Amino acid sequence: MIELHGVTKSVPSGNGTLTILHPLDLTIERGAVAAVTGPSGSGKSTLLGLVAGLDAPTAGRVIIDGVDITTLDEDGLARLRGSRIGFVFQFFHLLPSLTAYENVLVPMEIAGSKDAPARATALLGEVGLSDRGHHYPSQLSGGEQQRVAIARALANDPPLLLADEPTGNLDTATGHAIIELLLGINRVRNTTLVLVTHDPELAARAHVAIALRDGRVVEAVR
Ligand SMILES: Nc1ncnc2c1ncn2[C@@H]1O[C@H](COP(=O)(O)OP(=O)(O)O)[C@@H](O)[C@H]1O
Ligand SMILES: [Mg+2]
């Protein structure tokens, strides 16, 4: 379960402060799908970064499965991200010098996982890329690269998957296939899925829909 209590984010700006997120309270149950929507600049990526522990809130607490992650040091946050959180980005962020298989393997090797080769192979199968493991990112389409990125995000079987506009760089049909893959992962693995999307249809299918505007929740439907 994810709980945000009075979370705010401000940054210094000129001789004042710019508030990116106004006080925010939010609960997302284990296994839920939460869709975050809102115009560009409304604070969606900032919110996801706070949940991932990539960024610290100015005030408030972010609690993931009972652990207040705002109390963790950099090592603690790195361990949390390595073991409990998978992240999928708009622009895939694969390592270009590694094959698809090697990209999936990296987080497992960092975590010291024993059966890494077999699990990397299985994950590539799970995202529909069994026969593409030896290809480099430049040899794969955008949709295929995002599938590799999803397999990599699942490398250490995290209970929480965060996706920031995962279809933002894909055509409509490919984007739909990626969304179905993410929703299937949520169903099969019971992975909590928090995703930023511009797709109102997807937001309507989510268990929780959070609409942001200028750093405030304007609508939360559950
Ligand atoms: N580190 C930062 N310093 C200053 N402004 C920032 C910083 N991070 C984000 N912002 C600003 O905060 C607002 C929200 O950004 P972001 O969360 O990326 O929005 P979204 O993902 O919804 O497009 C934007 O106006 C952005 O320019
Ligand atoms: Mg963003």
Side-chain angles (χ1 to χ4, degrees):
M1 185 161 86
I2 304 169
E3 298 163 82
L4 272 59
H5 297 289
V7 165
T8 70
K9 183 69 189 179
S10 311
V11 291
S13 164
N15 41 19
T17 27
L18 171 71
T19 302
I20 301 175
L21 279 181
H22 294 271
L24 183 72
D25 295 293
L26 189 64
T27 302
I28 300 170
E29 303 290 341
R30 175 77 206 270
V33 176
V36 181
T37 60
S40 178
S42 57
K44 305 181 298 296
S45 294
T46 302
L47 174 59
L48 234 59
L50 293 172
V51 173
L54 291 165
D55 196 8
T58 306
R61 297 183 299 146
V62 178
I63 300 171
I64 298 184
D65 294 336
V67 176
D68 182 352
I69 71 167
T70 60
T71 66
L72 300 177
D73 61 13
E74 275 308 317
D75 284 351
L77 285 171
R79 270 198 300 278
L80 173 88
R81 286 193 298 269
S83 62
R84 305 193 57 78
I85 300 176
F87 212 109
V88 177
F89 304 90
Q90 180 174 353
F91 294 105
F92 325 132
H93 293 301
L94 298 174
L95 294 169
S97 61
L98 300 182
T99 64
Y101 169 78
E102 289 165 345
N103 266 282
V104 179
L105 205 56
V106 165
M108 298 180 189
E109 294 198 321
I110 291 172
S113 158
K114 269 182 290 170
D115 49 350
R119 290 185 44 239
T121 302
L123 278 168
L124 283 171
E126 193 173 334
V127 299
L129 289 180
S130 292
D131 51 347
R132 306 305 296 272
H134 59 291
H135 284 103
Y136 289 89
S138 63
Q139 299 171 311
L140 298 171
S141 70
E144 289 165 345
Q145 290 183 61
Q146 194 61 300
R147 287 174 188 273
V148 177
I150 291 167
R152 177 182 60 182
L154 294 175
N156 294 321
D157 201 16
L160 172 59
L161 191 57
L162 304 175
D164 194 351
E165 303 197 37
T167 66
N169 198 37
L170 302 173
D171 66 69
T172 307
T174 307
H176 278 143
I178 291 295
I179 291 299
E180 293 309 324
L181 177 63
L182 289 169
L183 294 176
I185 287 164
N186 161 260
R187 277 193 304 272
V188 171
R189 294 173 168 258
N190 199 35
T191 307
T192 309
L193 174 64
V194 183
L195 86 175
V196 173
T197 177
H198 289 290
D199 181 353
E201 218 176 288
L202 173 58
R205 285 169 72 186
H207 303 107
V208 188
I210 303 141
L212 291 176
R213 191 172 293 264
D214 298 330
R216 296 177 202 274
V217 176
V218 290
E219 200 183 0
V221 183
R222 46 187 305 160

